[in-house]
Amino acid sequence: MQIGSMISAPTYPSVRIGRPPSTCRGSPLNPYWKPRGSVETRMNTTSSIATTITQLSSDPSQSIRIHLSHLDRLLQKVPSPQPDPQNHSDKPLQENRVRGFIDGLNLAGIWPRWQAAEDMSPRHLKSLQRLLSRSPEYSPRNKLGERWPEYHGCNDWAGLLDPLDENLRREVVRYGEFVQAAYNSFHSNPATSADAPPTPRHVALPDRLYKVTKSLYATSSIGLPGWVDDVAPDLEWMTQRSSWVGYVAVCDNEREIRRMGRRDIVIALRGTATCLEWGENFRASLVPIEDGSTSKVECGFWSLYKTGGAHVPSLSAAVVEEVKRLMELYKGEPLSITVTGHSLGAALALLAADEISTCAANVPPVAVFSFGGPRVGNRGYGKRIEDNGVHVLRVVNAQDVITRVPGVPVGDSYSHVGSELRVDSRSSPYLKPNADVACCHDLEAYLHLVDGFLASDCPFRENAKRSLVKLLDEQGSNVKKLYMNKALKLNDIRVGTNREVLGNINDSMVTCLPSPS
């Protein structure tokens, strides 16, 4: 696209001011510069100069249009230098001159994202190697102290989202890693016995300063015919009605408690993984949460949250019971309750946070950090969430279609609730701009984007900390070839075939069953 075709430049009278000696050359980017000619050309009247200056002063945008028009003409007329096949010694010098010329124009000030991907690309292997290290870097955990209610959403994160506060970025990524631990634990052991109560499940937490206190299960109210298991006996876990969906954990490290300013209780919930959970996702009709209530939620989400299994309580009952127990156990201490989830887990997190907020007297502050969450209820339910004092931060990828379903947000239909942190997979220098639906909804892609987000008008941050290992391993087909090729050379392997060599991947993930999502 030509710059001149976008902004037409008006025609101005030729203006020439007194020139220095002929050894000084003018710039062809100057809108008033012309080749030296006759004396009449150089001696334009003072009134013409004054008129032109007045025009530019009254409308500064005209000056920009003139410069862009001349730049367009210059780029059209200057032929590209042909490389000499016999001599490549001056190639780096030519590239540096061209880059210096373009950078000197400061066009990024007009289009901030114009060169974002190019500027942030780790051209040197050393930069990429840092992001593929076996000992990845992490953003610093600064002391939150008395500001912890602000980071927990007491003011709905006003002034912290755009630009993104560095402390909030670290907290958001950390809660996303709690959800990843829920995915890992489920896929390493997805089966749930239908004949006996489940045994306590081990969860490899990414943050060892927390301990798991309760396993959580979600049960579908629908079922599949028995012959399905006979046809595919190895996939029996895909058709089980009750499945492990997450856990409750609490911080039990005194040093971390002092850093955060309170003891934090976390409820982490994974996304869709079984056939019956997918079936519940498509039950998109709105149902009231109470008889005669104007607060309505999606039928399938409500079913998974409220239905109990043969040997496990409903997700609703289990969450409320455990929160009450922990509140009594740590009575008198400053507490916070954080519910976090991805996809289906984000919807269940909203339902759980709403019920927790009214389950007892003097409930600690409740906040939701959700990733790629769909719409859950109508406007009446959103108002109920706000009235109950639940603060919701939704992390949304602008390219993620799941965040725009179900329903259409009109009338008494579905509506989002809470504050939004909007990222965009197209801003990543590593992901393809046409990344597929699965990549745009992937939790690791979400955490990658949050780690690199600075502000809505800024490119991907150059000093991003999050390792690329997991992203390359899970979304290799959506990563730009440049970085995949460099990663393969650095690791001397085929990405996706040897996670152990690739680096810091949880051992339990090597035997994980893939999720249909």
Side-chain angles (χ1 to χ4, degrees), residues 319-516:
V319 166
V320 170
E321 178 186 2
E322 184 63 11
V323 166
K324 286 183 176 180
R325 187 186 72 84
L326 294 175
M327 286 173 55
E328 183 63 27
L329 179 63
Y330 299 112
K331 189 175 182 179
E333 295 186 29
L335 297 174
S336 68
I337 300 175
T338 306
V339 195
T340 182
H342 169 249
S343 191
L344 169 63
L348 298 176
L350 198 63
L351 299 176
D354 175 45
E355 186 170 21
I356 290 171
S357 66
T358 58
C359 71
N362 301 319
V363 175
V366 180
V368 176
F369 289 80
S370 71
F371 301 85
R375 301 187 184 107
V376 178
N378 64 353
R379 296 181 185 275
Y381 185 69
K383 186 177 186 304
R384 171 191 170 94
I385 292 284
E386 295 174 355
D387 293 343
N388 287 339
V390 177
H391 301 281
V392 181
L393 178 59
R394 297 181 299 106
V395 184
V396 174
N397 181 358
Q399 309 307 313
D400 185 1
V401 298
I402 302 300
T403 61
R404 300 192 286 272
V405 297
V408 179
V410 295
D412 193 41
S413 185
Y414 286 93
S415 175
H416 275 307
V417 61
S419 304
E420 180 181 280
L421 172 59
R422 179 168 287 264
V423 295
D424 195 328
S425 53
R426 295 177 300 181
S427 68
S428 170
Y430 309 100
L431 295 175
K432 295 178 181 177
N434 60 340
D436 59 33
V437 175
C439 177
C440 294
H441 187 59
D442 182 69
L443 178 57
E444 178 59 32
Y446 263 91
L447 301 186
H448 164 70
L449 295 175
V450 171
D451 182 62
F453 182 78
L454 284 173
S456 58
D457 59 349
C458 293
F460 203 85
R461 68 175 180 137
E462 188 174 6
N463 61 337
K465 307 292 185 185
R466 189 163 187 82
S467 171
L468 292 176
V469 171
K470 200 170 188 298
L471 185 69
L472 291 173
D473 190 56
E474 296 184 357
Q475 298 297 334
S477 62
N478 290 294
V479 176
K480 293 177 182 178
K481 284 187 177 181
L482 169 67
Y483 304 108
M484 285 299 296
N485 292 337
K486 286 185 178 180
L488 294 174
K489 291 179 182 178
L490 287 172
N491 292 281
D492 195 26
I493 60 168
R494 293 186 62 186
V495 176
T497 61
N498 193 338
R499 299 185 181 191
E500 190 173 353
V501 177
L502 262 175
N504 191 29
I505 299 293
N506 193 303
D507 293 339
S508 63
M509 291 184 60
V510 178
T511 58
C512 285
L513 293 173
S515 167

Side-chain angles (χ1 to χ4, degrees), residues 93-114:
L93 180 60
Q94 293 175 0
E95 292 179 348
N96 290 338
R97 288 176 177 174
V98 172
R99 175 171 291 276
F101 171 72
I102 297 297
D103 291 343
L105 298 178
N106 195 25
L107 296 180
I110 303 175
W111 299 286
R113 294 182 180 273
W114 190 45

Side-chain angles (χ1 to χ4, degrees), residues 6-28:
M6 294 188 296
I7 306 176
S8 61
T11 303
Y12 290 100
S14 180
V15 179
R16 296 287 292 171
I17 306 176
R19 299 284 299 174
S22 58
T23 55
C24 180
R25 300 177 58 192
S27 169

